[in-house]
Amino acid sequence: MDNENNQKKAGETKIIAFPNLGERLIAKGLDELGNRNFKAAAQLFSQAREYEPENDEVCMGLVVSLVELEYYEESKRVVYRDAE
């Protein structure tokens, strides 16, 4: 019986984000962008976008990071997705 309850609980797990997580990810992304660590910046902006998809700063940081990494097609998808 305990095993059944544990299985149900595992399937019902909810993730609770830390307060202001989006803002912190943006700040870290900007720091990495300033340090020219474009791969880390792109990862941070991608994560921030999950929390703040309408934030222009997130999208711009992600596009700049992707262009610097020469991921042109992916950067176009980000731009055109936001334009829709």
Side-chain angles (χ1 to χ4, degrees):
M1 180 114 177
D2 285 335
N3 192 21
E4 286 180 33
N5 288 338
N6 288 339
Q7 288 177 348
K8 286 181 184 177
K9 286 180 184 177
E12 297 172 359
T13 302
K14 293 183 181 179
I15 297 173
I16 299 172
F18 289 103
N20 303 318
L21 181 59
E23 292 173 17
R24 286 189 274 165
L25 289 168
I26 294 168
K28 289 184 124 194
L30 290 171
D31 286 344
E32 293 298 338
L33 198 59
N35 292 331
R36 303 188 58 80
N37 188 353
F38 302 116
K39 187 172 184 177
Q43 291 171 341
L44 289 162
F45 286 125
S46 292
Q47 290 174 20
R49 196 169 187 208
E50 292 177 22
Y51 297 98
E52 298 190 24
E54 302 298 320
N55 187 315
D56 292 337
E57 193 173 31
V58 172
C59 295
M60 183 60 72
L62 180 56
V63 169
V64 168
S65 300
L66 293 172
V67 168
E68 289 292 339
L69 292 167
E70 299 180 4
Y71 295 158
Y72 303 118
E73 292 301 316
E74 191 172 345
S75 66
K76 278 197 235 180
R77 283 193 294 272
V78 171
V79 170
Y80 291 122
R81 177 180 161 210
D82 289 344
E84 293 176 350

